Amino acid sequence: MARNINRPLSPHLTIWKWGPHMLVSILHRGTGMALSIAGLVLLTWWLLAIAGGAASYKTFTEAATHPLGLFVLIGLTWAFLQHTASGIRHLIMDVGAGFELNTNKTMAYATMAASLLLTLALWAYILLVRA
Amino acid sequence: MTGPKQMGRFDRNSAPEGKTALGKVRGLGSARHGGEHWVRERVSSAALLLLGVWFIISLLLLPDLRMDTLAEWLRSPLGFVPMALFVYLCFEHSLEGVKVIIDDYQGDDGGRLFWTIVSLFLHVGVGALALFALARIAFGASA
């Protein structure tokens, strides 16, 4: 017997009022996929460039210091920090803690604040102090 | 070939005996496996939490990011060993995470199998390339 197509499946994104916990959950998946694709390709390219010698490393640094390359690096830094912060949130929730509405909401906001502030601090240090 | 012809491919939206797919499995309890993936994903995330912090702090502590500086760092035991673990676990955790995404969004059995294998091949292939590069930096003739 087939499923009655007039009955709705589980309600999805479109019908809920958005909250920070939803945004963080989606960001966790989005940043995870970005890191899986762009992050791993970049990590592999970086290692291959060092292994390949001076010419290949020069190609890498030229791409990495190009405005577009910097945009990708800063974006991936934020993605890594957001995924790490929301990952810690998931580990806390996995042990059964942090499900009270206010705690949950605060933790969700905290992951976004932490990832943005740390990205800003890290790249301000790299571009203004180290460069 | 014996047996009914319509038993070829399992369709999750239909079930024999006038029962829905949900009705068929209700009351049977869990499949009693699958938990290992969930646990492994969390263990690799905990390891990456440590190694990710190590990676960022190490890059910040290096005097510069020139090739020779990086190669020297990656040839030392305290550069090579954590970096090899970091690279391995990045690919392992990515494989586990992408599997969850595939399972969640690919409702079709064939599509799920296809993308699971594509993801496995890509992760193992590119991951092996990254570890090869690291090994070449550490053990190859210094350029």
Side-chain angles (χ1 to χ4, degrees):
Chain A
M1 188 177 141
R3 177 175 68 83
N4 179 356
I5 53 163
N6 293 317
R7 285 178 64 186
L9 282 172
S10 50
H12 206 45
L13 297 179
T14 44
I15 79 153
W16 301 106
K17 179 170 176 275
W18 276 71
H21 50 291
M22 259 173 94
L23 179 59
V24 162
S25 170
I26 289 160
L27 279 178
H28 192 70
R29 296 207 152 181
T31 52
M33 280 310 284
L35 290 164
S36 276
I37 299 169
L40 291 183
V41 165
L42 209 68
L43 178 67
T44 306
W45 182 18
W46 179 62
L47 290 169
L48 281 171
I50 302 170
S56 66
Y57 192 66
K58 192 163 171 280
T59 312
F60 177 86
T61 47
E62 274 169 7
T65 50
H66 185 276
L68 209 67
L70 278 179
F71 178 76
V72 171
L73 282 177
I74 295 171
L76 280 175
T77 308
W78 169 76
F80 179 81
L81 292 168
Q82 175 62 42
H83 195 83
T84 303
S86 45
I88 294 172
R89 175 173 174 267
H90 274 294
L91 289 176
I92 294 171
M93 287 167 67
D94 285 341
V95 297
F99 281 94
E100 300 80 13
L101 285 181
N102 276 326
T103 317
N104 196 285
K105 199 170 165 181
T106 310
M107 274 205 307
Y109 276 126
T111 66
M112 291 186 273
S115 71
L116 285 174
L117 285 176
L118 274 170
T119 308
L120 214 67
L122 211 55
W123 279 94
Y125 174 74
I126 295 167
L127 293 175
L128 303 176
V129 182
R130 287 294 287 269
Chain B
M1 292 282 274
T2 54
K5 280 181 182 128
Q6 66 269 31
M7 288 290 279
R9 192 166 160 280
F10 177 66
D11 182 350
R12 54 167 50 185
N13 288 329
S14 67
E17 297 153 30
K19 277 181 153 186
T20 62
L22 178 63
K24 243 185 102 182
V25 297
R26 203 168 246 164
L28 293 178
S30 81
R32 303 216 176 266
H33 67 82
E36 322 85 55
H37 177 275
W38 190 90
V39 170
R40 219 170 35 235
E41 196 182 15
R42 270 128 197 97
V43 173
S44 61
S45 80
L48 275 177
L49 188 57
L50 299 174
L51 289 163
V53 171
W54 164 84
F55 180 68
I56 292 177
I57 289 177
S58 298
L59 286 182
L60 290 176
L61 288 179
L62 285 173
D64 56 67
L65 293 180
R66 279 201 284 267
M67 198 189 87
D68 296 339
T69 315
L70 289 169
E72 192 191 337
W73 168 54
L74 292 175
R75 269 196 286 268
S76 72
L78 287 180
F80 177 82
V81 174
M83 184 59 101
L85 292 173
F86 179 65
V87 170
Y88 175 79
L89 282 158
C90 276
F91 280 89
E92 157 105 20
H93 189 71
S94 171
L95 178 67
E96 289 156 359
V98 170
K99 176 80 172 97
V100 175
I101 306 261
I102 294 169
D103 288 348
D104 276 2
Y105 298 113
Q106 275 288 320
D108 177 68
D109 287 339
R112 209 157 55 239
L113 182 63
F114 174 78
W115 286 113
T116 298
I117 292 175
V118 167
S119 164
L120 179 65
F121 283 12
L122 280 175
H123 277 96
V124 173
V126 180
L129 190 64
L131 284 175
F132 160 77
L134 181 62
R136 189 163 160 185
I137 296 166
F139 308 123
S142 42

PDB file of all heavy atoms in Angstrom, chain A residues 16-42:
ATOM      1  N   TRP A  16       8.375  26.769   9.863  1.00  0.00           N
ATOM      2  CA  TRP A  16       8.739  27.128  11.232  1.00  0.00           C
ATOM      3  C   TRP A  16       9.171  28.588  11.331  1.00  0.00           C
ATOM      4  O   TRP A  16       9.724  29.144  10.404  1.00  0.00           O
ATOM      5  CB  TRP A  16       9.895  26.251  11.749  1.00  0.00           C
ATOM      6  CG  TRP A  16       9.573  24.795  11.747  1.00  0.00           C
ATOM      7  CD1 TRP A  16      10.036  23.852  10.878  1.00  0.00           C
ATOM      8  CD2 TRP A  16       8.725  24.095  12.662  1.00  0.00           C
ATOM      9  NE1 TRP A  16       9.536  22.625  11.193  1.00  0.00           N
ATOM     10  CE2 TRP A  16       8.728  22.736  12.276  1.00  0.00           C
ATOM     11  CE3 TRP A  16       7.969  24.488  13.760  1.00  0.00           C
ATOM     12  CZ2 TRP A  16       7.996  21.768  12.953  1.00  0.00           C
ATOM     13  CZ3 TRP A  16       7.246  23.539  14.446  1.00  0.00           C
ATOM     14  CH2 TRP A  16       7.258  22.195  14.029  1.00  0.00           C
ATOM     15  N   LYS A  17       8.909  29.159  12.514  1.00  0.00           N
ATOM     16  CA  LYS A  17       9.461  30.476  12.820  1.00  0.00           C
ATOM     17  C   LYS A  17      10.943  30.280  13.126  1.00  0.00           C
ATOM     18  O   LYS A  17      11.311  29.442  13.937  1.00  0.00           O
ATOM     19  CB  LYS A  17       8.739  31.056  14.043  1.00  0.00           C
ATOM     20  CG  LYS A  17       9.237  32.408  14.455  1.00  0.00           C
ATOM     21  CD  LYS A  17       8.281  32.992  15.519  1.00  0.00           C
ATOM     22  CE  LYS A  17       8.802  34.324  16.039  1.00  0.00           C
ATOM     23  NZ  LYS A  17       9.760  34.150  17.125  1.00  0.00           N
ATOM     24  N   TRP A  18      11.780  31.052  12.449  1.00  0.00           N
ATOM     25  CA  TRP A  18      13.225  30.855  12.596  1.00  0.00           C
ATOM     26  C   TRP A  18      13.708  31.275  13.975  1.00  0.00           C
ATOM     27  O   TRP A  18      13.305  32.290  14.516  1.00  0.00           O
ATOM     28  CB  TRP A  18      13.966  31.662  11.534  1.00  0.00           C
ATOM     29  CG  TRP A  18      14.037  30.909  10.261  1.00  0.00           C
ATOM     30  CD1 TRP A  18      13.011  30.653   9.409  1.00  0.00           C
ATOM     31  CD2 TRP A  18      15.188  30.270   9.715  1.00  0.00           C
ATOM     32  NE1 TRP A  18      13.454  29.884   8.366  1.00  0.00           N
ATOM     33  CE2 TRP A  18      14.785  29.646   8.522  1.00  0.00           C
ATOM     34  CE3 TRP A  18      16.518  30.165  10.114  1.00  0.00           C
ATOM     35  CZ2 TRP A  18      15.662  28.924   7.728  1.00  0.00           C
ATOM     36  CZ3 TRP A  18      17.399  29.451   9.317  1.00  0.00           C
ATOM     37  CH2 TRP A  18      16.965  28.838   8.147  1.00  0.00           C
ATOM     38  N   GLY A  19      14.601  30.453  14.527  1.00  0.00           N
ATOM     39  CA  GLY A  19      15.237  30.801  15.804  1.00  0.00           C
ATOM     40  C   GLY A  19      16.721  30.558  15.684  1.00  0.00           C
ATOM     41  O   GLY A  19      17.167  29.926  14.726  1.00  0.00           O
ATOM     42  N   PRO A  20      17.497  31.033  16.668  1.00  0.00           N
ATOM     43  CA  PRO A  20      18.955  30.876  16.587  1.00  0.00           C
ATOM     44  C   PRO A  20      19.397  29.414  16.549  1.00  0.00           C
ATOM     45  O   PRO A  20      20.358  29.071  15.869  1.00  0.00           O
ATOM     46  CB  PRO A  20      19.461  31.574  17.854  1.00  0.00           C
ATOM     47  CG  PRO A  20      18.281  31.687  18.748  1.00  0.00           C
ATOM     48  CD  PRO A  20      17.082  31.780  17.863  1.00  0.00           C
ATOM     49  N   HIS A  21      18.685  28.532  17.260  1.00  0.00           N
ATOM     50  CA  HIS A  21      19.057  27.115  17.288  1.00  0.00           C
ATOM     51  C   HIS A  21      18.918  26.484  15.900  1.00  0.00           C
ATOM     52  O   HIS A  21      19.723  25.651  15.501  1.00  0.00           O
ATOM     53  CB  HIS A  21      18.183  26.377  18.294  1.00  0.00           C
ATOM     54  CG  HIS A  21      16.714  26.646  18.121  1.00  0.00           C
ATOM     55  ND1 HIS A  21      16.164  27.878  18.404  1.00  0.00           N
ATOM     56  CD2 HIS A  21      15.718  25.880  17.652  1.00  0.00           C
ATOM     57  CE1 HIS A  21      14.874  27.835  18.134  1.00  0.00           C
ATOM     58  NE2 HIS A  21      14.574  26.640  17.668  1.00  0.00           N
ATOM     59  N   MET A  22      17.897  26.925  15.140  1.00  0.00           N
ATOM     60  CA  MET A  22      17.722  26.403  13.779  1.00  0.00           C
ATOM     61  C   MET A  22      18.845  26.868  12.875  1.00  0.00           C
ATOM     62  O   MET A  22      19.409  26.108  12.096  1.00  0.00           O
ATOM     63  CB  MET A  22      16.406  26.934  13.199  1.00  0.00           C
ATOM     64  CG  MET A  22      15.277  25.952  13.248  1.00  0.00           C
ATOM     65  SD  MET A  22      13.796  26.782  12.723  1.00  0.00           S
ATOM     66  CE  MET A  22      13.777  26.379  10.978  1.00  0.00           C
ATOM     67  N   LEU A  23      19.142  28.176  13.010  1.00  0.00           N
ATOM     68  CA  LEU A  23      20.200  28.766  12.189  1.00  0.00           C
ATOM     69  C   LEU A  23      21.530  28.060  12.449  1.00  0.00           C
ATOM     70  O   LEU A  23      22.252  27.689  11.524  1.00  0.00           O
ATOM     71  CB  LEU A  23      20.308  30.266  12.502  1.00  0.00           C
ATOM     72  CG  LEU A  23      21.400  31.022  11.732  1.00  0.00           C
ATOM     73  CD1 LEU A  23      21.186  30.905  10.232  1.00  0.00           C
ATOM     74  CD2 LEU A  23      21.406  32.489  12.140  1.00  0.00           C
ATOM     75  N   VAL A  24      21.833  27.818  13.743  1.00  0.00           N
ATOM     76  CA  VAL A  24      23.108  27.187  14.108  1.00  0.00           C
ATOM     77  C   VAL A  24      23.171  25.747  13.597  1.00  0.00           C
ATOM     78  O   VAL A  24      24.201  25.294  13.100  1.00  0.00           O
ATOM     79  CB  VAL A  24      23.311  27.252  15.639  1.00  0.00           C
ATOM     80  CG1 VAL A  24      24.359  26.253  16.092  1.00  0.00           C
ATOM     81  CG2 VAL A  24      23.738  28.645  16.036  1.00  0.00           C
ATOM     82  N   SER A  25      22.041  25.055  13.658  1.00  0.00           N
ATOM     83  CA  SER A  25      21.999  23.681  13.168  1.00  0.00           C
ATOM     84  C   SER A  25      22.295  23.632  11.672  1.00  0.00           C
ATOM     85  O   SER A  25      23.055  22.786  11.197  1.00  0.00           O
ATOM     86  CB  SER A  25      20.621  23.083  13.461  1.00  0.00           C
ATOM     87  OG  SER A  25      20.480  21.850  12.810  1.00  0.00           O
ATOM     88  N   ILE A  26      21.688  24.568  10.927  1.00  0.00           N
ATOM     89  CA  ILE A  26      21.920  24.603   9.486  1.00  0.00           C
ATOM     90  C   ILE A  26      23.340  25.066   9.168  1.00  0.00           C
ATOM     91  O   ILE A  26      23.993  24.531   8.274  1.00  0.00           O
ATOM     92  CB  ILE A  26      20.852  25.487   8.806  1.00  0.00           C
ATOM     93  CG1 ILE A  26      19.502  24.759   8.861  1.00  0.00           C
ATOM     94  CG2 ILE A  26      21.228  25.807   7.376  1.00  0.00           C
ATOM     95  CD1 ILE A  26      18.318  25.647   8.689  1.00  0.00           C
ATOM     96  N   LEU A  27      23.820  26.047   9.942  1.00  0.00           N
ATOM     97  CA  LEU A  27      25.197  26.510   9.755  1.00  0.00           C
ATOM     98  C   LEU A  27      26.187  25.373   9.987  1.00  0.00           C
ATOM     99  O   LEU A  27      27.207  25.280   9.315  1.00  0.00           O
ATOM    100  CB  LEU A  27      25.516  27.665  10.712  1.00  0.00           C
ATOM    101  CG  LEU A  27      25.038  29.062  10.316  1.00  0.00           C
ATOM    102  CD1 LEU A  27      25.408  30.066  11.400  1.00  0.00           C
ATOM    103  CD2 LEU A  27      25.641  29.479   8.986  1.00  0.00           C
ATOM    104  N   HIS A  28      25.880  24.488  10.957  1.00  0.00           N
ATOM    105  CA  HIS A  28      26.780  23.377  11.256  1.00  0.00           C
ATOM    106  C   HIS A  28      26.940  22.476  10.022  1.00  0.00           C
ATOM    107  O   HIS A  28      28.041  22.059   9.689  1.00  0.00           O
ATOM    108  CB  HIS A  28      26.242  22.575  12.441  1.00  0.00           C
ATOM    109  CG  HIS A  28      27.241  21.604  12.995  1.00  0.00           C
ATOM    110  ND1 HIS A  28      28.356  22.017  13.687  1.00  0.00           N
ATOM    111  CD2 HIS A  28      27.316  20.254  12.953  1.00  0.00           C
ATOM    112  CE1 HIS A  28      29.065  20.958  14.038  1.00  0.00           C
ATOM    113  NE2 HIS A  28      28.466  19.869  13.612  1.00  0.00           N
ATOM    114  N   ARG A  29      25.822  22.214   9.355  1.00  0.00           N
ATOM    115  CA  ARG A  29      25.877  21.388   8.142  1.00  0.00           C
ATOM    116  C   ARG A  29      26.532  22.127   6.990  1.00  0.00           C
ATOM    117  O   ARG A  29      27.353  21.562   6.265  1.00  0.00           O
ATOM    118  CB  ARG A  29      24.468  20.974   7.720  1.00  0.00           C
ATOM    119  CG  ARG A  29      23.819  20.096   8.756  1.00  0.00           C
ATOM    120  CD  ARG A  29      22.805  19.188   8.161  1.00  0.00           C
ATOM    121  NE  ARG A  29      22.736  17.990   9.002  1.00  0.00           N
ATOM    122  CZ  ARG A  29      21.961  16.961   8.765  1.00  0.00           C
ATOM    123  NH1 ARG A  29      21.178  16.968   7.721  1.00  0.00           N
ATOM    124  NH2 ARG A  29      21.975  15.923   9.555  1.00  0.00           N
ATOM    125  N   GLY A  30      26.152  23.396   6.814  1.00  0.00           N
ATOM    126  CA  GLY A  30      26.698  24.193   5.717  1.00  0.00           C
ATOM    127  C   GLY A  30      28.207  24.352   5.838  1.00  0.00           C
ATOM    128  O   GLY A  30      28.951  24.109   4.880  1.00  0.00           O
ATOM    129  N   THR A  31      28.663  24.737   7.049  1.00  0.00           N
ATOM    130  CA  THR A  31      30.102  24.927   7.243  1.00  0.00           C
ATOM    131  C   THR A  31      30.820  23.588   7.138  1.00  0.00           C
ATOM    132  O   THR A  31      31.934  23.518   6.625  1.00  0.00           O
ATOM    133  CB  THR A  31      30.406  25.575   8.608  1.00  0.00           C
ATOM    134  OG1 THR A  31      29.756  24.823   9.631  1.00  0.00           O
ATOM    135  CG2 THR A  31      29.944  27.006   8.661  1.00  0.00           C
ATOM    136  N   GLY A  32      30.174  22.513   7.589  1.00  0.00           N
ATOM    137  CA  GLY A  32      30.769  21.180   7.471  1.00  0.00           C
ATOM    138  C   GLY A  32      31.005  20.810   6.021  1.00  0.00           C
ATOM    139  O   GLY A  32      32.076  20.322   5.655  1.00  0.00           O
ATOM    140  N   MET A  33      30.012  21.077   5.167  1.00  0.00           N
ATOM    141  CA  MET A  33      30.175  20.768   3.744  1.00  0.00           C
ATOM    142  C   MET A  33      31.236  21.656   3.105  1.00  0.00           C
ATOM    143  O   MET A  33      32.039  21.191   2.285  1.00  0.00           O
ATOM    144  CB  MET A  33      28.836  20.943   3.001  1.00  0.00           C
ATOM    145  CG  MET A  33      27.877  19.783   3.146  1.00  0.00           C
ATOM    146  SD  MET A  33      28.592  18.167   2.790  1.00  0.00           S
ATOM    147  CE  MET A  33      28.655  18.197   1.000  1.00  0.00           C
ATOM    148  N   ALA A  34      31.270  22.941   3.482  1.00  0.00           N
ATOM    149  CA  ALA A  34      32.288  23.853   2.940  1.00  0.00           C
ATOM    150  C   ALA A  34      33.682  23.369   3.318  1.00  0.00           C
ATOM    151  O   ALA A  34      34.600  23.371   2.494  1.00  0.00           O
ATOM    152  CB  ALA A  34      32.053  25.271   3.465  1.00  0.00           C
ATOM    153  N   LEU A  35      33.849  22.935   4.576  1.00  0.00           N
ATOM    154  CA  LEU A  35      35.153  22.443   5.027  1.00  0.00           C
ATOM    155  C   LEU A  35      35.498  21.133   4.332  1.00  0.00           C
ATOM    156  O   LEU A  35      36.648  20.880   3.996  1.00  0.00           O
ATOM    157  CB  LEU A  35      35.149  22.254   6.546  1.00  0.00           C
ATOM    158  CG  LEU A  35      35.104  23.539   7.382  1.00  0.00           C
ATOM    159  CD1 LEU A  35      34.707  23.243   8.815  1.00  0.00           C
ATOM    160  CD2 LEU A  35      36.441  24.259   7.337  1.00  0.00           C
ATOM    161  N   SER A  36      34.482  20.284   4.117  1.00  0.00           N
ATOM    162  CA  SER A  36      34.718  18.998   3.461  1.00  0.00           C
ATOM    163  C   SER A  36      35.226  19.190   2.039  1.00  0.00           C
ATOM    164  O   SER A  36      36.088  18.447   1.586  1.00  0.00           O
ATOM    165  CB  SER A  36      33.423  18.181   3.400  1.00  0.00           C
ATOM    166  OG  SER A  36      33.242  17.488   4.599  1.00  0.00           O
ATOM    167  N   ILE A  37      34.687  20.192   1.353  1.00  0.00           N
ATOM    168  CA  ILE A  37      35.082  20.382  -0.043  1.00  0.00           C
ATOM    169  C   ILE A  37      36.258  21.355  -0.122  1.00  0.00           C
ATOM    170  O   ILE A  37      37.403  20.947  -0.377  1.00  0.00           O
ATOM    171  CB  ILE A  37      33.872  20.846  -0.886  1.00  0.00           C
ATOM    172  CG1 ILE A  37      32.764  19.771  -0.834  1.00  0.00           C
ATOM    173  CG2 ILE A  37      34.294  21.098  -2.321  1.00  0.00           C
ATOM    174  CD1 ILE A  37      31.442  20.202  -1.402  1.00  0.00           C
ATOM    175  N   ALA A  38      36.005  22.645   0.145  1.00  0.00           N
ATOM    176  CA  ALA A  38      37.066  23.645  -0.029  1.00  0.00           C
ATOM    177  C   ALA A  38      38.194  23.442   0.982  1.00  0.00           C
ATOM    178  O   ALA A  38      39.371  23.564   0.645  1.00  0.00           O
ATOM    179  CB  ALA A  38      36.472  25.046   0.109  1.00  0.00           C
ATOM    180  N   GLY A  39      37.854  23.118   2.225  1.00  0.00           N
ATOM    181  CA  GLY A  39      38.862  22.968   3.273  1.00  0.00           C
ATOM    182  C   GLY A  39      39.843  21.848   2.977  1.00  0.00           C
ATOM    183  O   GLY A  39      41.059  22.026   3.064  1.00  0.00           O
ATOM    184  N   LEU A  40      39.321  20.674   2.612  1.00  0.00           N
ATOM    185  CA  LEU A  40      40.200  19.527   2.365  1.00  0.00           C
ATOM    186  C   LEU A  40      41.015  19.712   1.091  1.00  0.00           C
ATOM    187  O   LEU A  40      42.185  19.323   1.041  1.00  0.00           O
ATOM    188  CB  LEU A  40      39.377  18.226   2.297  1.00  0.00           C
ATOM    189  CG  LEU A  40      38.767  17.768   3.627  1.00  0.00           C
ATOM    190  CD1 LEU A  40      38.043  16.447   3.456  1.00  0.00           C
ATOM    191  CD2 LEU A  40      39.827  17.654   4.707  1.00  0.00           C
ATOM    192  N   VAL A  41      40.419  20.320   0.066  1.00  0.00           N
ATOM    193  CA  VAL A  41      41.171  20.580  -1.166  1.00  0.00           C
ATOM    194  C   VAL A  41      42.334  21.532  -0.873  1.00  0.00           C
ATOM    195  O   VAL A  41      43.473  21.313  -1.301  1.00  0.00           O
ATOM    196  CB  VAL A  41      40.240  21.166  -2.260  1.00  0.00           C
ATOM    197  CG1 VAL A  41      41.044  21.771  -3.402  1.00  0.00           C
ATOM    198  CG2 VAL A  41      39.309  20.081  -2.796  1.00  0.00           C
ATOM    199  N   LEU A  42      42.045  22.574  -0.081  1.00  0.00           N
ATOM    200  CA  LEU A  42      43.076  23.562   0.232  1.00  0.00           C
ATOM    201  C   LEU A  42      44.187  22.955   1.094  1.00  0.00           C
ATOM    202  O   LEU A  42      45.372  23.204   0.870  1.00  0.00           O
ATOM    203  CB  LEU A  42      42.427  24.742   0.959  1.00  0.00           C
ATOM    204  CG  LEU A  42      43.130  26.072   0.742  1.00  0.00           C
ATOM    205  CD1 LEU A  42      42.977  26.524  -0.692  1.00  0.00           C
ATOM    206  CD2 LEU A  42      42.570  27.130   1.687  1.00  0.00           C
TER     207      LEU A  42
END
